[in-house]
Coordinates of all heavy atoms in Angstrom, one line a residue:
M1 N -13.2 7.1 -3.0 CA -12.6 7.2 -1.8 C -11.4 6.2 -1.6 O -11.4 5.1 -2.1 CB -13.7 6.8 -0.7 CG -13.2 6.7 0.7 SD -14.4 6.3 1.9 CE -14.7 7.8 2.7
N2 N -10.4 6.6 -1.0 CA -9.2 5.8 -0.8 C -9.2 5.0 0.5 O -9.7 5.6 1.6 CB -7.9 6.7 -0.8 CG -7.6 7.2 -2.2 OD1 -8.0 6.6 -3.2 ND2 -7.0 8.3 -2.2
K3 N -8.8 3.9 0.5 CA -8.7 3.0 1.8 C -7.3 2.7 2.0 O -6.5 2.3 1.1 CB -9.5 1.7 1.6 CG -9.3 0.8 2.7 CD -10.2 -0.4 2.6 CE -10.0 -1.4 3.7 NZ -9.9 -0.9 5.0
T4 N -6.8 2.9 3.3 CA -5.4 2.6 3.6 C -5.4 1.1 4.0 O -6.2 0.7 4.9 CB -5.0 3.5 4.8 OG1 -5.1 4.9 4.3 CG2 -3.5 3.2 5.1
L5 N -4.4 0.4 3.5 CA -4.2 -1.0 3.9 C -3.2 -1.0 5.0 O -2.1 -0.6 4.9 CB -3.7 -1.7 2.7 CG -4.5 -1.6 1.4 CD1 -3.8 -2.3 0.3 CD2 -5.9 -2.2 1.6
S6 N -3.6 -1.6 6.1 CA -2.7 -1.7 7.2 C -2.5 -3.1 7.8 O -1.4 -3.4 8.3 CB -3.1 -0.7 8.4 OG -4.4 -1.0 8.7
T7 N -3.4 -4.0 7.7 CA -3.3 -5.3 8.2 C -2.8 -6.3 7.2 O -2.8 -6.0 6.0 CB -4.7 -5.8 8.8 OG1 -5.6 -6.0 7.7 CG2 -5.3 -4.8 9.8
D8 N -2.2 -7.4 7.7 CA -1.8 -8.5 6.8 C -2.9 -9.0 5.9 O -2.8 -9.2 4.7 CB -1.2 -9.6 7.5 CG 0.1 -9.3 8.2 OD1 0.8 -8.3 7.7 OD2 0.6 -10.1 9.1
M9 N -4.1 -9.1 6.5 CA -5.3 -9.6 5.7 C -5.6 -8.6 4.6 O -5.9 -9.0 3.5 CB -6.5 -9.7 6.7 CG -7.7 -10.3 6.0 SD -7.3 -12.0 5.3 CE -7.3 -13.0 6.8
E10 N -5.6 -7.3 4.9 CA -5.9 -6.4 3.8 C -4.8 -6.3 2.7 O -5.2 -6.3 1.4 CB -6.0 -4.9 4.4 CG -7.2 -4.7 5.3 CD -7.1 -3.4 6.0 OE1 -6.0 -2.9 6.3 OE2 -8.2 -2.9 6.4
L11 N -3.6 -6.5 3.0 CA -2.5 -6.6 2.1 C -2.6 -7.9 1.3 O -2.5 -7.9 0.1 CB -1.2 -6.5 2.7 CG -0.8 -5.1 3.3 CD1 0.4 -5.2 4.2 CD2 -0.6 -4.1 2.2
F12 N -3.0 -9.0 1.9 CA -3.1 -10.3 1.3 C -4.3 -10.2 0.2 O -4.2 -10.6 -0.9 CB -3.4 -11.4 2.3 CG -3.7 -12.7 1.7 CD1 -2.8 -13.4 1.1 CD2 -5.0 -13.2 1.7 CE1 -3.0 -14.6 0.5 CE2 -5.3 -14.4 1.1 CZ -4.3 -15.2 0.5
A13 N -5.4 -9.6 0.6 CA -6.5 -9.4 -0.3 C -6.1 -8.6 -1.5 O -6.5 -8.9 -2.6 CB -7.8 -8.9 0.5
A14 N -5.4 -7.5 -1.3 CA -5.0 -6.6 -2.4 C -4.1 -7.4 -3.3 O -4.2 -7.3 -4.6 CB -4.4 -5.4 -1.8
A15 N -3.1 -8.1 -2.7 CA -2.2 -8.9 -3.5 C -2.9 -10.0 -4.4 O -2.7 -10.2 -5.6 CB -1.1 -9.6 -2.6
L16 N -3.9 -10.7 -3.8 CA -4.6 -11.7 -4.4 C -5.5 -11.2 -5.4 O -5.6 -11.8 -6.5 CB -5.5 -12.4 -3.3 CG -6.1 -13.8 -3.7 CD1 -5.1 -14.8 -4.1 CD2 -7.0 -14.3 -2.6
S17 N -6.1 -10.1 -5.3 CA -7.0 -9.5 -6.3 C -6.2 -8.7 -7.3 O -6.8 -8.2 -8.3 CB -8.1 -8.7 -5.7 OG -7.9 -8.2 -4.5
Q18 N -4.9 -8.5 -7.1 CA -4.0 -7.8 -8.0 C -4.5 -6.4 -8.4 O -4.5 -6.0 -9.5 CB -3.8 -8.6 -9.3 CG -3.1 -9.9 -9.0 CD -2.6 -10.6 -10.2 OE1 -3.1 -10.4 -11.3 NE2 -1.6 -11.6 -10.1
V19 N -5.0 -5.7 -7.4 CA -5.4 -4.3 -7.5 C -4.2 -3.4 -7.5 O -3.2 -3.8 -6.9 CB -6.5 -3.9 -6.4 CG1 -7.7 -4.6 -6.5 CG2 -5.9 -3.9 -5.0
T20 N -4.3 -2.3 -8.1 CA -3.2 -1.3 -8.1 C -3.2 -0.6 -6.7 O -4.2 -0.1 -6.2 CB -3.4 -0.2 -9.1 OG1 -3.4 -0.9 -10.4 CG2 -2.2 0.8 -9.1
V21 N -2.0 -0.7 -6.0 CA -1.8 -0.1 -4.7 C -0.9 1.1 -4.9 O 0.2 1.1 -5.5 CB -1.2 -1.1 -3.7 CG1 -0.9 -0.5 -2.4 CG2 -2.1 -2.3 -3.6
A22 N -1.3 2.3 -4.3 CA -0.5 3.4 -4.2 C 0.3 3.5 -3.0 O -0.1 3.1 -1.9 CB -1.3 4.7 -4.3
V23 N 1.7 3.9 -3.1 CA 2.6 4.0 -2.0 C 2.8 5.4 -1.7 O 3.1 6.2 -2.6 CB 4.0 3.4 -2.3 CG1 4.8 3.5 -1.1 CG2 3.9 2.0 -2.8
I24 N 2.5 5.8 -0.4 CA 2.5 7.2 0.0 C 3.5 7.3 1.2 O 3.4 6.4 2.1 CB 1.1 7.7 0.5 CG1 0.0 7.4 -0.5 CG2 1.2 9.2 1.0 CD1 0.2 8.2 -1.8
Q25 N 4.4 8.2 1.2 CA 5.3 8.4 2.4 C 5.1 9.9 2.7 O 4.8 10.7 1.9 CB 6.7 8.1 2.0 CG 6.9 6.6 1.7 CD 8.3 6.3 1.4 OE1 9.2 7.1 1.1 NE2 8.6 5.0 1.5
H26 N 5.4 10.1 4.0 CA 5.2 11.5 4.5 C 6.6 12.2 4.8 O 7.5 11.6 5.1 CB 4.4 11.5 5.9 CG 3.0 11.1 5.7 ND1 2.0 11.9 5.7 CD2 2.4 9.9 5.6 CE1 0.8 11.3 5.5 NE2 1.1 10.0 5.5
T27 N 6.6 13.5 4.4 CA 7.8 14.3 4.7 C 8.0 14.6 6.1 O 7.1 14.2 7.0 CB 7.7 15.6 3.8 OG1 6.7 16.5 4.5 CG2 7.6 15.4 2.4
A28 N 9.1 15.2 6.5 CA 9.3 15.6 7.9 C 8.2 16.6 8.4 O 7.9 16.6 9.6 CB 10.7 16.3 8.0
D29 N 7.6 17.3 7.5 CA 6.5 18.2 7.8 C 5.2 17.5 7.7 O 4.1 18.2 7.7 CB 6.5 19.4 6.9 CG 7.8 20.2 6.9 OD1 8.4 20.3 8.1 OD2 8.1 20.8 5.9
D30 N 5.1 16.2 7.6 CA 3.9 15.3 7.6 C 3.1 15.7 6.4 O 1.8 15.5 6.4 CB 3.1 15.5 8.9 CG 2.2 14.3 9.1 OD1 2.6 13.2 8.8 OD2 1.1 14.6 9.6
I31 N 3.8 16.0 5.3 CA 3.0 16.2 4.0 C 3.1 14.9 3.2 O 4.2 14.3 3.0 CB 3.7 17.3 3.2 CG1 3.6 18.5 3.9 CG2 3.1 17.4 1.9 CD1 4.5 19.7 3.4
P32 N 1.9 14.3 2.8 CA 1.9 13.0 2.1 C 2.5 13.2 0.6 O 2.1 14.2 0.0 CB 0.5 12.6 2.0 CG -0.3 13.9 2.3 CD 0.6 14.8 3.0
V33 N 3.3 12.3 0.3 CA 4.0 12.3 -1.1 C 3.7 11.0 -1.8 O 4.0 9.9 -1.2 CB 5.4 12.7 -1.0 CG1 6.1 12.7 -2.3 CG2 5.7 14.0 -0.2
F34 N 3.2 11.0 -3.0 CA 3.0 9.8 -3.8 C 4.4 9.4 -4.2 O 5.1 10.1 -4.8 CB 2.1 10.2 -5.0 CG 2.0 9.0 -6.0 CD1 1.1 8.0 -5.8 CD2 2.8 9.0 -7.2 CE1 1.0 7.0 -6.7 CE2 2.7 8.0 -8.0 CZ 1.8 6.9 -7.8
I35 N 4.6 8.1 -4.0 CA 5.9 7.6 -4.3 C 5.8 6.6 -5.5 O 6.7 6.8 -6.5 CB 6.6 6.7 -3.2 CG1 6.7 7.6 -1.9 CG2 7.9 6.1 -3.6 CD1 7.7 8.8 -2.1
A36 N 4.9 5.8 -5.6 CA 4.8 4.7 -6.7 C 3.4 4.1 -6.6 O 2.7 4.3 -5.6 CB 5.9 3.7 -6.6
A37 N 3.1 3.3 -7.6 CA 1.9 2.5 -7.6 C 2.1 1.2 -8.4 O 3.0 1.2 -9.3 CB 0.8 3.3 -8.3
G38 N 1.5 0.1 -8.1 CA 1.6 -1.1 -8.7 C 0.9 -2.1 -7.9 O 0.2 -2.0 -6.9
V39 N 1.1 -3.5 -8.4 CA 0.5 -4.6 -7.7 C 1.5 -5.1 -6.7 O 2.7 -5.2 -7.0 CB 0.2 -5.7 -8.8 CG1 -0.3 -7.0 -8.2 CG2 -0.8 -5.1 -9.8
I40 N 1.0 -5.6 -5.6 CA 1.8 -6.1 -4.5 C 2.3 -7.5 -4.9 O 1.5 -8.3 -5.4 CB 1.0 -6.3 -3.2 CG1 0.6 -4.9 -2.6 CG2 1.8 -7.0 -2.1 CD1 -0.3 -5.0 -1.4
E41 N 3.6 -7.7 -5.0 CA 4.2 -8.9 -5.4 C 4.5 -9.8 -4.1 O 4.4 -11.1 -4.2 CB 5.5 -8.7 -6.1 CG 5.3 -8.1 -7.5 CD 6.5 -8.0 -8.3 OE1 7.5 -8.7 -8.0 OE2 6.5 -7.3 -9.3
K42 N 4.8 -9.2 -3.0 CA 5.2 -9.9 -1.8 C 5.1 -8.9 -0.6 O 5.2 -7.7 -0.8 CB 6.7 -10.4 -1.9 CG 7.1 -11.2 -0.7 CD 8.5 -11.6 -1.0 CE 9.1 -12.4 0.3 NZ 10.4 -12.9 0.1
Y43 N 4.8 -9.4 0.6 CA 4.8 -8.6 1.8 C 5.2 -9.4 3.0 O 5.0 -10.7 3.0 CB 3.4 -7.9 2.0 CG 2.3 -8.9 2.4 CD1 2.1 -9.2 3.8 CD2 1.6 -9.6 1.5 CE1 1.1 -10.1 4.2 CE2 0.6 -10.5 1.9 CZ 0.4 -10.7 3.3 OH -0.6 -11.6 3.7
T44 N 5.7 -8.8 3.9 CA 6.1 -9.4 5.2 C 5.7 -8.5 6.3 O 5.0 -7.5 6.0 CB 7.7 -9.7 5.4 OG1 8.3 -8.3 5.4 CG2 8.3 -10.4 4.1
T45 N 6.1 -8.8 7.5 CA 5.7 -7.9 8.6 C 6.4 -6.6 8.6 O 6.1 -5.6 9.3 CB 5.9 -8.6 10.0 OG1 7.3 -9.1 10.0 CG2 5.0 -9.8 10.2
H46 N 7.6 -6.5 7.8 CA 8.4 -5.4 7.7 C 8.3 -4.6 6.4 O 8.6 -3.4 6.5 CB 9.8 -5.8 8.0 CG 10.0 -6.4 9.3 ND1 9.9 -5.8 10.5 CD2 10.3 -7.7 9.6 CE1 10.1 -6.6 11.5 NE2 10.4 -7.8 11.0
Y47 N 8.0 -5.2 5.4 CA 8.0 -4.5 4.1 C 6.9 -5.0 3.1 O 6.4 -6.2 3.3 CB 9.4 -4.5 3.4 CG 9.8 -5.8 2.8 CD1 9.5 -6.2 1.5 CD2 10.5 -6.8 3.6 CE1 9.8 -7.5 1.0 CE2 10.8 -8.1 3.0 CZ 10.4 -8.4 1.7 OH 10.8 -9.6 1.2
V48 N 6.6 -4.2 2.1 CA 5.8 -4.6 1.0 C 6.5 -4.3 -0.3 O 7.1 -3.3 -0.5 CB 4.5 -3.8 1.0 CG1 3.6 -4.0 -0.2 CG2 3.7 -3.9 2.3
K49 N 6.5 -5.4 -1.2 CA 7.3 -5.3 -2.5 C 6.2 -5.0 -3.5 O 5.3 -5.8 -3.8 CB 8.0 -6.6 -2.8 CG 8.9 -6.5 -4.0 CD 9.6 -7.8 -4.2 CE 10.4 -7.7 -5.5 NZ 11.1 -8.9 -5.9
I50 N 6.5 -3.9 -4.2 CA 5.7 -3.5 -5.4 C 6.7 -3.3 -6.6 O 7.5 -2.4 -6.5 CB 4.8 -2.3 -5.0 CG1 3.8 -2.6 -3.9 CG2 4.2 -1.8 -6.3 CD1 3.0 -1.3 -3.6
G51 N 6.5 -4.0 -7.6 CA 7.5 -4.0 -8.7 C 8.8 -4.5 -8.2 O 8.8 -5.6 -7.5
E52 N 9.8 -3.8 -8.5 CA 11.2 -4.2 -8.0 C 11.7 -3.6 -6.7 O 12.7 -3.8 -6.3 CB 12.2 -3.8 -9.2 CG 12.0 -4.6 -10.5 CD 12.2 -6.1 -10.3 OE1 13.2 -6.4 -9.7 OE2 11.4 -6.8 -10.8
T53 N 10.7 -2.7 -6.1 CA 11.1 -2.0 -4.9 C 10.3 -2.4 -3.7 O 9.2 -2.8 -3.8 CB 10.8 -0.5 -5.2 OG1 11.4 -0.1 -6.4 CG2 11.3 0.3 -4.1
S54 N 11.1 -2.6 -2.6 CA 10.4 -2.9 -1.3 C 10.3 -1.6 -0.5 O 11.2 -0.8 -0.4 CB 11.3 -3.9 -0.6 OG 11.3 -5.1 -1.3
Y55 N 9.2 -1.5 0.1 CA 8.9 -0.3 0.9 C 8.6 -0.8 2.4 O 7.9 -1.7 2.6 CB 7.6 0.4 0.4 CG 7.8 0.9 -1.0 CD1 7.3 0.0 -2.0 CD2 8.4 2.1 -1.3 CE1 7.5 0.4 -3.4 CE2 8.5 2.4 -2.7 CZ 8.1 1.6 -3.6 OH 8.2 2.0 -5.0
L56 N 9.3 -0.1 3.3 CA 9.1 -0.4 4.7 C 7.7 -0.1 5.1 O 7.2 1.0 4.9 CB 10.1 0.3 5.5 CG 11.5 -0.1 5.5 CD1 12.5 0.9 6.2 CD2 11.7 -1.5 6.0
R57 N 7.0 -0.9 5.8 CA 5.6 -0.7 6.3 C 5.5 0.4 7.3 O 4.5 1.1 7.3 CB 5.0 -2.0 6.8 CG 4.7 -2.9 5.7 CD 4.2 -4.3 6.2 NE 2.9 -4.3 6.8 CZ 2.2 -5.3 7.1 NH1 2.6 -6.5 6.9 NH2 1.0 -5.2 7.7
D58 N 6.6 0.5 8.1 CA 6.6 1.7 9.2 C 6.8 3.0 8.6 O 6.4 4.0 9.2 CB 7.8 1.4 10.1 CG 7.5 0.2 11.1 OD1 6.4 -0.3 11.0 OD2 8.5 -0.3 11.6
E59 N 7.3 3.1 7.3 CA 7.5 4.4 6.8 C 6.6 4.8 5.6 O 6.7 5.7 5.0 CB 9.0 4.4 6.2 CG 10.0 4.3 7.3 CD 11.5 4.3 6.8 OE1 11.6 4.5 5.6 OE2 12.3 4.1 7.7
S60 N 5.7 3.8 5.2 CA 4.9 4.0 4.0 C 3.4 3.8 4.4 O 3.1 3.0 5.3 CB 5.3 3.1 2.9 OG 6.7 3.1 2.7
E61 N 2.5 4.4 3.6 CA 1.1 4.0 3.6 C 0.8 3.3 2.2 O 1.4 3.7 1.2 CB 0.2 5.3 3.7 CG 0.2 5.8 5.0 CD -0.8 7.1 5.0 OE1 -1.7 7.2 4.1 OE2 -0.7 7.8 5.9
F62 N -0.1 2.3 2.2 CA -0.5 1.7 1.1 C -2.0 1.9 0.9 O -2.8 1.5 1.8 CB 0.0 0.2 1.2 CG 1.4 0.0 1.5 CD1 1.8 -0.2 2.8 CD2 2.3 0.1 0.4 CE1 3.1 -0.3 3.1 CE2 3.7 -0.1 0.8 CZ 4.1 -0.3 2.0
R63 N -2.3 2.5 -0.3 CA -3.8 2.8 -0.4 C -4.3 2.2 -1.7 O -3.6 2.2 -2.7 CB -3.9 4.4 -0.5 CG -3.5 5.1 0.8 CD -3.7 6.6 0.6 NE -3.2 7.3 1.7 CZ -3.1 8.6 1.7 NH1 -3.5 9.3 0.6 NH2 -2.6 9.2 2.7
I64 N -5.6 1.9 -1.7 CA -6.4 1.5 -2.8 C -7.5 2.4 -3.0 O -8.0 3.0 -2.0 CB -6.8 0.0 -2.8 CG1 -7.7 -0.3 -1.7 CG2 -5.6 -0.9 -2.9 CD1 -8.4 -1.6 -1.7
E65 N -8.0 2.6 -4.2 CA -9.3 3.3 -4.4 C -10.4 2.4 -4.3 O -10.5 1.4 -5.0 CB -9.2 4.0 -5.7 CG -10.3 4.9 -6.0 CD -10.2 5.7 -7.2 OE1 -9.1 6.1 -7.6 OE2 -11.2 5.9 -7.9
E66 N -11.2 2.7 -3.3 CA -12.4 1.9 -3.1 C -13.5 2.3 -4.1 O -13.7 3.5 -4.3 CB -13.0 2.0 -1.7 CG -12.3 1.2 -0.7 CD -13.1 1.3 0.7 OE1 -13.5 2.4 1.1 OE2 -13.2 0.2 1.3
R67 N -14.2 1.4 -4.6 CA -15.3 1.7 -5.6 C -16.6 1.6 -4.8 O -16.9 0.8 -4.0 CB -15.4 0.6 -6.7 CG -14.1 0.7 -7.5 CD -14.2 -0.2 -8.6 NE -12.9 -0.2 -9.3 CZ -12.6 -0.9 -10.3 NH1 -13.5 -1.8 -10.9 NH2 -11.4 -0.8 -10.9
S68 N -17.4 2.6 -5.0 CA -18.7 2.7 -4.3 C -19.6 1.6 -4.9 O -19.5 1.2 -6.1 CB -19.4 4.0 -4.4 OG -19.6 4.3 -5.9
S69 N -20.6 1.2 -4.1 CA -21.5 0.1 -4.5 C -22.9 0.7 -4.9 O -23.9 0.1 -4.6 CB -21.6 -0.9 -3.4 OG -22.1 -0.3 -2.2
Y70 N -22.8 1.8 -5.5 CA -24.1 2.5 -6.0 C -24.6 1.8 -7.2 O -24.0 1.5 -8.2 CB -24.0 4.0 -6.2 CG -23.6 4.7 -4.9 CD1 -22.4 5.1 -4.6 CD2 -24.6 4.9 -3.9 CE1 -22.1 5.8 -3.4 CE2 -24.4 5.6 -2.7 CZ -23.1 6.0 -2.5 OH -22.9 6.7 -1.3

């Protein structure tokens, strides 16, 4: 199951644990499109930097794959 990271605390935890984060952006028709994946290097209130690219938080979703605890 995928979890969308939206708060500063969630982004901080993902950066600290160095999990792979997927970047998703939506088209004008609201179709989700996979853009990139990698480890969060830096984030601010306006953007998240993954690799050499910064993604605007208002225009992107950041998702991680949650592991079940079974």
